[in-house]
Amino acid sequence: MNVCLKEQSWCFENNIKIYIKPIKGKKSCFIEINHNGKLITSPKIYNNQLEANKKIWQLYLYLYNNRNHEKN
């Protein structure tokens, strides 16, 4: 089980979703953040989905730590 589930749940509750956006016909992909319908696509191309998935968990942790403390 991933240790960032609390952070991911917080993001979901605050309408922040992060997911892989594949590049058609390739193994590489982007990461896309959807925050209340505003889409942000990563400028970086990830070589594979495993690499992108690791970055997604880091982003959930980062957003939780930075935005959750803004509210307190």
Side-chain angles (χ1 to χ4, degrees):
M1 188 160 99
N2 197 298
V3 294
C4 294
L5 291 178
K6 175 178 76 170
E7 292 82 357
Q8 182 188 42
S9 294
W10 180 88
C11 286
F12 286 174
E13 290 168 5
N14 288 277
N15 297 313
I16 301 170
K17 296 168 189 71
I18 308 171
Y19 46 85
I20 291 171
K21 183 177 180 182
I23 299 172
K24 189 173 183 173
K26 300 188 180 216
K27 289 184 179 181
S28 53
C29 58
F30 293 101
I31 292 175
E32 190 163 81
I33 300 173
N34 182 337
H35 184 210
N36 285 325
K38 180 179 178 186
L39 301 178
I40 302 167
T41 302
S42 66
K44 179 178 175 159
I45 296 174
Y46 294 87
N47 294 324
N48 56 55
Q49 290 187 6
L50 181 61
E51 184 182 311
N53 192 48
K54 288 178 184 178
K55 185 62 177 178
I56 287 171
W57 288 111
Q58 291 173 356
L59 287 168
Y60 278 130
L61 179 62
Y62 173 81
L63 291 169
Y64 173 82
N65 286 333
N66 288 291
R67 294 187 178 228
N68 190 31
H69 294 300
E70 289 176 7
K71 290 184 176 184
N72 297 331

